[in-house]
Amino acid sequence: MHKSNLDEAADLSLKVVSLSRPSSFSGKIEDVHGKHKEFSAHVRIIAASHFLPFSIAVSEETPTEPFQWKVSRRSGHTAMYAGIRSLSDNPNADCTHVGWIGNYKDLKGEEHSCDDLSHESRTNICKELEKYDAVPVFVDEATANGHYEGYSKQILWPLLHYMSWSDSNPMKSAWWDCYNQVSKTFATAISAIYKDGDIVWIHDYHLLLLPEMFRALNPKATIGLFLHSPFPSSELFRSLPNRKEILYGMLGSTSIGFQTYSYARHFLSSCTRVLGLESTPTGIDNMGNMVAIGVFPIGIDARQVQERRSLPAVQTKMKNLREMFANKRIIIGRDRLDEVAGIKQKLEAFEKFLEMYPEWQNNVVLIQVTQPGQTRQPKLEAKISELVTSINSNYGSLEFMPVMYHHTFLNTDEYMALLNIADLCLITVIRDGMNTGSLEYVVCQQDKHSPLLLSEFTGTAGSVSGAIQINPWDYQGVAQAIDTALRMGPDEKKVRYKEMYRHVMNHDAQYWASTVIQDLRATVLAGQSSSVTPKLDMALFVKGFKASKRRMIMLDYDGTLTPITNIPAQALPPAEMLEALRALCADPRNFVSVISGRDRAFLELHLGDIEGLALSGEHGSFIRYPGGEWINLLAEMDMSWKDEVLSIFEFYTERTVGATIEAKETSITWHFRNADPEYGEFQAKECMNHLENSVVSKRPVEILVGKKCLEVRPISVNKGEIVKRLMGAKPKQWDFVVCAGDDKTDEDMFRSLRTIKRSVAGNTSGEEGLNAVSTSVGMGTNWSSMSMRLPPYYFTITVGPPDKRSAAAWHVSSSHDVVEALMLLAASNNAE
């Protein structure tokens, strides 16, 4: 990687907003990186959302097909659309928006599916939208309905908002099929315009399978996913039948963004509990591929709101509203008619307010506007109507109603007028991704500085520090907060408002979008600066084997010759692996050994009958040469430390359900693979601290952190020492060396062989060989590129993904690949 790219990665990393720095959004935007800072290099961005931000209608010029089209802005999701649109304003960025176009309107204003449109009419849609840097995705009506009205709205949306999916309509299998099909259609559409180096930015819960599907078509793509909705706790999310497919779909991303830290934490927990993956606060290890996790609270297009609130039409409506509610204090609320909007809680709290503070009766009006929710909810509608009637009956009169309830879509001018004249904005949602309405209210209150009462269950609550946070379920507490806000003095109002306004203006939609893209680019650049281990070159592997006379083959067991299992006793050797080992051991030119962490009883039971096979157990504590007896390499070592370690492990086993102890002759292992993933990791850290303070600091032992286990062993024991012993005093006698392993304990073997290879190359290959090794190893780049292709052949192989940090020269994906490679060697051996 060039130095300029490394400098860019370092520069970008300072601006990353991640879980490790949740306070990055405090202060002015200029303090971070400048609101409209230009990208340091040109970038092409493909943004994908379920709907395009446009709707189409037939042009009056073409009453019959093929139609020409008129394009207009689609309402809703204004913050997301504004952020995406702002990327095109950056001189170093091109942004194309991909999404479903939806239905079209005919000349009468009636909506129709695009299914029956001619090819020419569809082509004209594409041409017209190209002017707006948009690419339409066409989905047939039945699939679109099953995807959006079915799985997205009936299953995912309720679940993500803490409403168990079983409480909504029963799931239909066809809905899931439609959800899959739409993601496949999007993947194909994006691939058609994708070029190497592009950034693909996918939005929200409608397309959670798309990252994995697109990566299958474009493995090296940079893919960002941003979830605008909440993400529920793992206890609720795991009730979803398709939970694994959804999580793996999301993990196809390079980076996943959330609105708040809690949503990100719930996602990490779900990946750990449902998929069994390891995580850190800033990423998920998806089978060796690290998926970055970040927190990016969305903003609004603050300047557009400022301009709109000042329009003459808005001023006129403000005047009319003031006259209508003269001498009244105005509380406003606008919500979707959903359970999670908290409208029922708001009305209950407002009624409690009027009961507790009678002096406000006839002096305060609540203007509540609702619009249709995700689904029709007759019971909720009836309950709200009942509450409104009750409040107006008990506290109203013929001249005045304390609750003005409007169930209708509000045009933008009326909405802006309400935000401007309000004395208080009351938001009582019980679950919301962000609630950008509160941010719009702040922008519109530049003259009055009216307070904001904001539910603590909104995503915005963690960002807008000047708001008064409330618990919607605490009706008395909300009533007291309303009274406090209405009595608040001008000085306190101004102080609170100043905090809110500064945040909203400094962290607008443009800032949000540019920050997400900068973070994604920093993640990619950081990945490019790390070493990538090449896939094992099978042709070279077999060629080196055939050309050699003396061959050393050293193999780990668990995770290398057999897959990792939850119950270690179930990791039995497959028949094809045993067959390959027997064939290789039968050739006197081969010295084959299995170097494992298993005890010698296990190795003897399952591999002891293979003639000519050397065995090493307990990470190098024991060794058995072909035809010989087991040798205890630690026979003279004091093992009295084992009792202390065992008592500590027993202490944590009693307190960790699912944990087990494996006592070997020279080491003790504490397994927590079957424990609760998060609690198991926590207890492992506590146990390790206990061991370090009580045992390690006083005894010649070390703690080895393995896969879901802790092992305490003598400090002089490791697999690297066994490798040195097997290679002997004259390692140059071996002209073909293979060493394969999968975890941290095997890195000792790789490092030992790297040192031996350097020595052998320096002694036998002359200046050319020495330079090859020093160039590839000494400078820290991948040492396989030159030295591993020169005899003597040294193949150090790690099992895992190519970007796994390892001292090995090559990689294979799974234990199956290792066995396959051994079978190839055995077959070539027999063919000679």
Side-chain angles (χ1 to χ4, degrees):
M1 188 174 183
H2 293 298
K3 183 180 184 300
S4 59
N5 289 337
L6 288 170
D7 291 341
E8 183 180 8
D11 178 60
L12 289 176
S13 66
L14 297 175
K15 300 144 188 170
V16 172
V17 180
S18 68
L19 298 183
S20 60
R21 296 191 295 280
S23 60
S24 299
F25 282 85
S26 62
K28 292 187 176 182
I29 188 168
E30 289 78 8
D31 297 337
V32 184
H33 72 293
K35 185 174 298 183
H36 300 295
K37 179 178 178 180
E38 297 179 9
F39 296 137
S40 54
H42 189 271
V43 59
R44 267 177 39 107
I45 303 162
I46 301 173
S49 62
H50 174 242
F51 276 114
L52 280 175
F54 307 104
S55 56
I56 56 170
V58 175
S59 171
E60 294 84 351
E61 300 173 359
T62 54
T64 59
E65 287 209 66
F67 297 128
Q68 296 294 329
W69 303 95
K70 294 187 302 182
V71 176
S72 58
R73 291 281 176 188
R74 185 186 299 274
S75 61
H77 304 290
T78 53
M80 177 182 73
Y81 292 151
I84 295 172
R85 189 168 60 248
S86 71
L87 294 172
S88 295
D89 298 333
N90 194 304
N92 278 334
D94 296 323
C95 185
T96 301
H97 200 146
V98 177
W100 184 45
I101 192 59
N103 295 330
Y104 73 91
K105 289 184 178 181
D106 62 17
L107 293 177
K108 297 178 181 179
E110 298 176 353
E111 290 194 358
H112 301 275
S113 168
C114 294
D115 290 2
D116 299 327
L117 288 176
S118 66
H119 176 73
E120 286 185 82
S121 292
R122 290 193 178 200
T123 300
N124 290 340
I125 292 175
C126 296
K127 289 180 179 178
E128 191 64 30
L129 288 173
E130 189 176 357
K131 301 174 184 177
Y132 301 88
D133 295 321
V135 175
V137 174
F138 294 100
V139 182
D140 67 85
E141 187 173 14
T143 302
N145 186 69
H147 166 265
Y148 184 62
E149 299 295 340
Y151 197 83
S152 294
K153 291 177 68 172
Q154 303 294 335
I155 304 300
L156 276 183
W157 189 89
L159 180 72
L160 294 174
H161 289 80
Y162 284 76
M163 300 164 62
S164 177
W165 65 273
S166 59
D167 292 340
S168 58
N169 292 339
M171 183 187 295
K172 299 176 182 177
S173 59
W175 289 351
W176 173 248
D177 295 338
C178 293
Y179 192 80
N180 269 275
Q181 184 55 50
V182 168
S183 291
K184 290 178 183 177
T185 304
F186 267 76
T188 302
I190 298 172
S191 294
I193 61 172
Y194 174 80
K195 297 179 181 178
D196 288 345
D198 288 356
I199 290 176
V200 178
W201 191 19
I202 300 166
H203 291 265
D204 223 8
Y205 62 91
H206 313 91
L207 301 171
L208 296 182
L209 299 179
L210 180 55
E212 184 182 35
M213 290 183 178
F214 185 76
R215 187 165 300 286
L217 299 174
N218 304 276
K220 296 183 180 180
T222 300
I223 304 172
L225 171 65
F226 189 84
L227 190 65
H228 293 261
S229 69
F231 196 93
S233 69
S234 60
E235 292 304 315
L236 184 59
F237 184 80
R238 68 198 306 177
S239 67
L240 183 68
N242 310 111
R243 58 193 184 174
K244 289 187 177 181
E245 293 89 337
I246 293 292
L247 290 176
Y248 278 127
M250 297 174 71
L251 290 173
S253 309
T254 307
S255 174
I256 305 175
F258 295 88
Q259 299 275 20
T260 72
Y261 172 78
S262 63
Y263 303 158
R265 180 167 51 83
H266 291 326
F267 175 75
L268 291 169
S269 178
S270 291
C271 290
T272 301
R273 294 176 182 274
V274 176
L275 302 180
L277 301 178
E278 296 185 3
S279 67
T280 69
T282 56
I284 293 284
D285 185 356
N286 181 23
M287 294 176 288
N289 295 311
M290 186 59 71
V291 180
I293 304 297
V295 177
F296 310 94
I298 198 171
I300 60 172
D301 191 342
R303 283 162 178 73
Q304 185 184 54
V305 175
Q306 278 187 322
E307 293 171 1
R308 191 65 185 257
R309 69 179 287 269
S310 304
L311 292 177
V314 175
Q315 299 299 317
T316 301
K317 292 185 181 296
M318 288 170 57
K319 180 181 177 183
N320 295 337
L321 287 170
R322 288 194 184 102
E323 292 174 355
M324 185 183 304
F325 300 106
N327 301 317
K328 307 293 182 186
R329 304 295 289 275
I330 300 173
I331 302 175
I332 65 162
R334 188 181 81 153
D335 307 275
R336 287 184 178 273
L337 190 57
D338 290 312
E339 286 282 355
V340 297
I343 301 172
K344 183 174 76 70
Q345 287 77 10
K346 184 184 299 186
L347 293 171
E348 296 271 18
F350 185 67
E351 186 173 31
K352 175 65 70 174
F353 162 73
L354 293 175
E355 175 191 327
M356 292 174 60
Y357 303 97
E359 65 270 25
W360 286 113
Q361 296 175 16
N362 297 316
N363 292 312
V364 174
V365 59
L366 170 62
I367 303 176
Q368 176 62 44
V369 180
T370 64
Q371 59 192 64
Q374 292 288 329
T375 57
R376 181 78 189 278
Q377 301 186 49
K379 291 183 180 179
L380 178 61
E381 292 178 28
K383 181 61 178 177
I384 290 174
S385 179
E386 180 185 327
L387 283 169
V388 171
T389 301
S390 173
I391 295 170
N392 285 338
S393 298
N394 293 330
Y395 300 100
S397 63
L398 291 174
E399 294 82 16
F400 173 70
M401 296 293 179
V403 178
M404 301 290 291
Y405 180 72
H406 300 275
H407 181 49
T408 182
F409 281 103
L410 206 62
N411 70 47
T412 306
D413 291 343
E414 291 174 327
Y415 176 53
M416 288 290 133
L418 278 177
L419 294 180
N420 274 292
I421 67 165
D423 295 290
L424 177 65
C425 180
L426 180 57
I427 298 174
T428 56
V429 296
I430 58 178
R431 190 64 59 183
D432 200 359
M434 202 60 190
N435 196 284
T436 54
S438 60
L439 307 181
E440 293 168 338
Y441 170 76
V442 170
V443 175
C444 290
Q445 282 292 319
Q446 295 175 52
D447 301 323
K448 297 189 66 175
H449 303 161
S450 296
L452 169 65
L453 261 60
L454 185 62
S455 167
E456 63 187 64
F457 300 110
T458 64
T460 322
S463 304
V464 186
S465 58
I468 301 174
Q469 292 194 21
I470 54 175
N471 177 0
W473 301 100
D474 179 8
Y475 300 152
Q476 183 171 329
V478 176
Q480 292 172 344
I482 293 173
D483 177 68
T484 299
L486 292 176
R487 297 179 189 275
M488 189 179 293
D491 291 340
E492 184 179 353
K493 282 184 181 180
K494 189 173 182 179
V495 170
R496 285 180 173 273
Y497 180 77
K498 185 177 179 181
E499 282 294 315
M500 293 190 292
Y501 181 76
R502 180 170 58 185
H503 171 82
V504 173
M505 297 305 293
N506 285 348
H507 302 87
D508 58 9
Q510 292 85 348
Y511 172 73
W512 164 75
S514 63
T515 303
V516 172
I517 298 301
Q518 292 276 30
D519 174 77
L520 189 53
R521 296 181 70 222
T523 300
V524 174
L525 287 171
Q528 289 174 352
S529 65
S530 63
S531 175
V532 175
T533 308
K535 188 174 183 180
L536 178 62
D537 186 336
M538 287 294 187
L540 180 64
F541 190 56
V542 174
K543 174 187 173 183
F545 181 80
K546 288 182 176 181
S548 57
K549 303 297 182 184
R550 291 281 289 158
R551 305 147 177 167
M552 171 64 72
I553 302 173
M554 295 170 285
L555 308 165
D556 171 47
Y557 184 77
D558 289 288
T560 303
L561 293 178
T562 62
I564 295 290
T565 60
N566 287 336
I567 301 175
Q570 293 180 348
L572 303 178
E576 59 271 22
M577 182 265 281
L578 294 174
E579 182 182 345
L581 287 181
R582 286 192 176 94
L584 290 171
C585 290
D587 187 337
R589 293 174 294 178
N590 304 332
F591 186 93
V592 185
S593 60
V594 173
I595 306 173
S596 173
R598 296 282 188 156
D599 59 35
R600 52 182 175 176
F602 180 92
L603 295 175
E604 191 70 52
L605 174 65
H606 296 290
L607 301 174
D609 64 335
I610 300 178
E611 188 175 348
L613 179 66
L615 298 173
S616 176
E618 300 191 24
H619 299 295
S621 299
F622 295 90
I623 190 168
R624 193 205 73 174
Y625 290 100
E629 298 295 325
W630 283 97
I631 302 172
N632 184 352
L633 301 178
L634 302 176
E636 305 300 322
M637 183 168 286
D638 178 14
M639 292 291 174
S640 61
W641 55 267
K642 290 179 66 178
D643 292 335
E644 295 179 60
V645 173
L646 182 61
S647 65
I648 293 173
F649 278 169
E650 287 175 342
F651 176 85
Y652 285 94
T653 301
E654 291 171 0
R655 290 157 178 78
T656 312
V657 177
T660 58
I661 299 172
E662 181 185 4
K664 305 173 187 177
E665 293 183 64
T666 59
S667 64
I668 306 178
T669 305
W670 188 69
H671 296 276
F672 58 94
R673 182 173 298 279
N674 295 321
D676 177 88
E678 292 182 342
Y679 188 62
E681 290 286 353
F682 171 78
Q683 288 290 76
K685 291 176 183 177
E686 293 293 306
C687 182
M688 190 159 62
N689 289 335
H690 195 162
L691 289 167
E692 288 173 346
N693 294 328
S694 302
V695 180
V696 176
S697 59
K698 306 170 185 176
R699 300 280 195 158
V701 296
E702 63 180 352
I703 304 172
L704 182 68
V705 181
K707 292 182 177 178
K708 301 293 184 182
C709 68
L710 295 179
E711 180 169 328
V712 180
R713 66 184 186 184
I715 202 165
S716 60
V717 174
N718 65 68
K719 291 183 178 181
E721 293 302 315
I722 288 294
V723 165
K724 293 177 184 176
R725 178 182 286 264
L726 293 176
M727 292 291 287
K730 298 180 179 180
K732 65 181 179 181
Q733 64 179 301
W734 309 105
D735 51 359
F736 181 85
V737 178
V738 176
C739 182
D742 72 306
D743 67 9
K744 295 177 182 177
T745 64
D746 302 311
E747 295 298 316
D748 292 330
M749 296 196 292
F750 303 149
R751 282 189 286 268
S752 291
L753 284 174
R754 185 164 61 180
T755 301
I756 293 171
K757 169 67 174 179
R758 184 184 295 116
S759 173
V760 169
N763 292 332
T764 63
S765 300
E767 186 177 348
E768 182 182 351
L770 182 61
N771 289 340
V773 177
S774 62
T775 299
S776 57
V777 180
M779 294 181 65
T781 57
N782 196 302
W783 66 307
S784 68
S785 58
M786 294 179 65
S787 65
M788 289 299 97
R789 298 179 183 275
L790 299 172
Y793 295 100
Y794 277 51
F795 287 89
T796 50
I797 306 165
T798 185
V799 180
D803 55 355
K804 175 182 177 182
R805 292 181 178 272
S806 176
W810 306 92
H811 91 277
V812 293
S813 299
S814 66
S815 59
H816 174 76
D817 295 329
V818 175
V819 174
E820 191 176 85
L822 294 178
M823 292 172 66
L824 279 175
L825 296 188
S828 65
N829 202 52
N830 294 333
E832 292 180 2

